[in-house]
Amino acid sequence: MFTDDAGKGGAAAGGPGNSAGSNRRTGGDLVQLITPAGERVSHPEFDLWVQDVSDEQLCSLYQDMVVIRRIDTEATALQRQGELALWPPLLGQEASQIGSARALRDDDFVFPSYRDNGVAYVRGVNLADIVKAWRGNALAGWDPYTVNVATQQIIIGSQTLHATGYAMGIQNDGADSVAVAYFGDGATSEGDVSEAMVFAASFQAPVVFFCQNNHWAISEPVMLQSHIQLADRAAGFGIPSMRVDGNDVLAVMAATRIAIDRARHGGGPTFIEAVTYRMGPHTTADDPTRYRDANELEDWAAKDPIARVKSLLERKGLLTGELEAAVAAKADAVAKELRAGTINMPEPQPLDIFKNVYSTPNSWLDRQQDHYSRYLASFGDPAEAASEEGAR
Amino acid sequence: MTQMTFARAINSGLRKSLENDPKVILMGEDIGALGGVFRVTDGLQKDFGKHRVVDTPLAESGIIGTAVGLAYRGYRPVVEIQFDGFIYPAFDQIVSQVAKMHYRTQGAVKMPITIRVPFGGGIGSPEHHSESPEAYFTHTSGLRVVSVSNPQDAYTMIQQAIASDDPVLYFEPKRRYHDKGEVDESQDLGTALPLDKARVVTEGKDVTLVAYGPLVKTARDAALAAADEGISIEVIDLRSLAPVDFATLEASVRKTGRLVITHEAGQSGGVGAELAASITERCFYHLEAAPVRVTGFDVPYPYSKLEMHHLPGLDRILDGVDRALGRPNSLSGLEG
Ligand SMILES: Cc1ncc(C[n+]2csc(CCOP(=O)(O)OP(=O)(O)O)c2C)c(N)n1
């Protein structure tokens, strides 16, 4: 088993300490520590933030990425088999999600979007809980406080405000944890995201805006959302930013550690643009051939985040048969657990529909529940009641 | 007459409006190359160009707010809100700006904006993709709110909405997009049933059953099933939720003496509440029983495994009809 504490405690683990307040790094250059060919290239500042990452931890990052790609494949298969209603693949975004999530401390709080299933996995969300909402068995799969991950947001951009408010709470409490908002390139067009940046900057809230620029918002290219690099937007709000190769797990980890460290030490918000690519469809209901060029996909396949770490491990002589076997075994086990958890998920009961609308009983709803249970009871066989009628 | 799906009928109506009036502009997320997530705008950008069929940034308040400016400038924007649950970021622009501009400027500035909203449930979607937000808008003066229930109306009413100088919220029942029907594309808008009129779908004498959008089909099916039991239901497709064509409803209720209203949205403060109160005021002495509402529950739209319980189906509607008729029903013996 690989242990990972590569992500625990950024600065303490050997980072260069206080970068808080460093405002100078704006968009422009794309920070890269591993080339698409798998070469480790050096960077004067970012290197300092990942110098503690041991060979073993590098293998662990590789394993995580393979596992979440496997979760994605398995969930897609489950969708095709009718076990899930829908699934939003993260194929291609593994390094962004693993590199960033592994840079967080357990008491940091994540506000993700629907696509951030890799982040949920790293934070320890149960596998079946990851797909519960996509199966239609709940609106959200987990209790946020058990894993310090808010439920996945579908309204584009809303969670950036929630993360900022949470961070303001952290600040009030005098704590040193950090809130992290995950969102896409399209989200940056929403008013909520601008307002979140206004609040975060005004209050110097300990929040990290982690934008995965995967180049597409359903069918809309990133150019439709912004004519400057997304990272450069932050400057207008007075928020320092970084633009990193989102397919490079080390670069992402370094950037996230810098941002987290700044937030922890009172330096306020940071905006990270992780430049990556959504290699699959938007969701299993989407048809990307209608709007995107096959060549573009090929170009990005050559920058695959997993392949490049694999090459790096190979160069370092770390890609042993033993490692490959261990990684494959882990991916198999996770896929199996995900499948079993999905298929054996308990079905919700009809009257569950009335649960948790309010935290205290409400007479209007009690009446509706009473009437509906009488209605169900009026059928001889309760299983037949309201069969599929409503959806017709 | 041509057989076409609901989605195709709207597409065809949009095409006609684009052809007939150069001031018509379509805007929305993903409506261009993709043709919208439901393909309702399929092919329109290809044929009319990127200036007439505009893929907008991902910003609903921005979409409606810029449509306001375009309308100021003499355009007739037709915007698509991708799903019902995404209209809320635009709510302020709709209720504070779109609805009030004409009033505010004493009629000087018109807001001929059509806001297309795929709405309602029954397709097993995730959260925010199955909502029925119509009552928020019927409560706001200055807006027209309509919902279509069949391809012919979809085709005609989209053109009437675009031609209207008032802002129109045009609610499309997404679970019916693939249903087919006859559409007469040569229909003259001038002779078609006006946008704000209700339509009697099936005549009957025992009960008036009012529905709109996705539930018109369910209501019609319920009427057929009831006929087998000797109950004669008059089904009315409300079509315009604001303003309401009370004349048609009153005439029906005076005849039948009983009213059942059905919609997917939750009950409290909903369209059904308004209809029940208004009809009671207008037809009190003709009513043989209190109006009955068969609606979604007052719960957030539930996860898809339970949505069939939330959505009024044929049996629940018939149970409501039994209540209106005083026949044995699931609430027999209970008061109210
Ligand atoms: C407020 C709102 N508007 C529209 C949508 C429909 N929608 C879902 S995902 C999406 C694209 C989002 O793109 P981006 O922010 O780049 O994230 P990605 O899906 O690429 O990860 C859209 C338009 C939504 N969920 N919420």
Side-chain angles (χ1 to χ4, degrees), chain A residues 142-156:
Chain A
W142 59 84
D143 172 352
Y145 296 111
T146 59
V147 280
N148 285 349
V149 182
T151 59
Q152 295 187 321
Q153 183 60 250
I154 287 179
I155 300 296
I156 303 298

Side-chain angles (χ1 to χ4, degrees), chain A residues 49-367:
Chain A
W49 291 87
V50 286
Q51 64 190 8
D52 64 304
V53 175
S54 65
D55 285 351
E56 196 191 0
Q57 286 164 346
L58 196 60
C59 293
S60 166
L61 293 169
Y62 169 67
Q63 169 170 298
D64 281 347
M65 290 197 285
V66 171
V67 168
I68 67 169
R69 183 167 288 187
R70 182 62 173 273
I71 289 175
D72 222 47
T73 314
E74 195 68 18
T76 301
L78 284 163
Q79 194 279 334
R80 297 290 181 237
Q81 291 155 6
E83 297 291 344
L84 300 180
L86 193 75
W87 177 252
L90 58 78
L91 184 70
Q93 300 181 217
E94 294 86 353
S96 290
Q97 296 199 13
I98 296 300
S100 58
R102 281 286 180 220
L104 311 182
R105 221 164 59 186
D106 283 350
D107 63 338
D108 296 330
F109 208 101
V110 170
F111 289 82
S113 87
Y114 48 84
R115 202 182 300 289
D116 302 310
N117 295 299
V119 177
Y121 166 73
V122 169
R123 302 292 286 177
V125 176
N126 282 333
L127 291 164
D129 287 350
I130 292 179
V131 296
K132 201 167 176 183
W134 303 110
R135 188 167 166 81
N137 284 46
L139 287 183
W142 59 84
D143 172 352
Y145 296 111
T146 59
V147 280
N148 285 349
V149 182
T151 59
Q152 295 187 321
Q153 183 60 250
I154 287 179
I155 300 296
I156 303 298
S158 271
Q159 74 275 20
T160 57
L161 277 165
H162 308 163
T164 303
Y166 190 96
M168 288 159 61
I170 292 175
Q171 207 173 25
N172 266 357
D173 296 343
D176 77 340
S177 53
V178 175
V180 184
Y182 282 86
F183 53 101
D185 43 300
T188 61
S189 293
E190 292 280 4
D192 276 4
V193 176
S194 291
E195 293 183 27
M197 290 203 271
V198 169
F199 274 68
S202 289
F203 298 110
Q204 287 296 291
V207 56
V208 176
F209 295 107
F210 191 87
C211 175
Q212 288 169 81
N213 174 1
N214 68 7
H215 284 81
W216 291 92
I218 309 188
S219 72
E220 303 193 331
V222 63
M223 271 296 277
L224 184 62
Q225 318 293 340
S226 181
H227 271 246
I228 58 166
Q229 286 171 350
L230 296 174
D232 285 344
R233 280 233 173 135
F237 295 94
I239 296 178
S241 68
M242 287 173 269
R243 189 162 183 267
V244 296
D245 185 335
N247 285 10
D248 171 347
V249 72
L250 283 187
V252 171
M253 177 178 268
T256 313
R257 283 175 165 190
I258 291 169
I260 290 275
D261 184 65
R262 175 181 293 151
R264 266 200 226 303
H265 295 99
T270 303
F271 185 104
I272 298 172
E273 178 187 358
V275 181
T276 180
Y277 192 75
R278 187 195 86 212
M279 296 209 281
H282 170 69
T283 65
T284 43
D286 178 40
D287 172 12
T289 62
R290 277 183 161 245
Y291 54 81
R292 118 182 146 181
D293 189 354
N295 296 330
E296 183 181 297
L297 187 59
E298 253 174 58
D299 291 349
W300 279 94
K303 300 179 196 162
D304 188 284
I306 297 184
R308 81 171 70 173
V309 175
K310 196 171 172 181
S311 313
L312 177 63
L313 294 177
E314 209 160 17
R315 279 169 200 274
K316 287 173 146 260
L318 297 169
L319 194 72
T320 59
E322 198 186 335
L323 173 70
E324 293 262 60
V327 168
K330 175 75 181 175
D332 285 349
V334 165
K336 206 167 151 196
E337 189 184 331
L338 173 65
R339 174 166 288 271
T342 305
I343 290 170
N344 301 321
M345 200 178 290
E347 289 295 293
Q349 295 305 302
L351 295 182
D352 287 351
I353 203 169
F354 298 102
K355 280 190 187 158
N356 297 312
V357 180
Y358 299 92
S359 49
T360 47
N362 163 293
S363 62
W364 291 6
L365 208 54
D366 286 351
R367 184 172 188 267

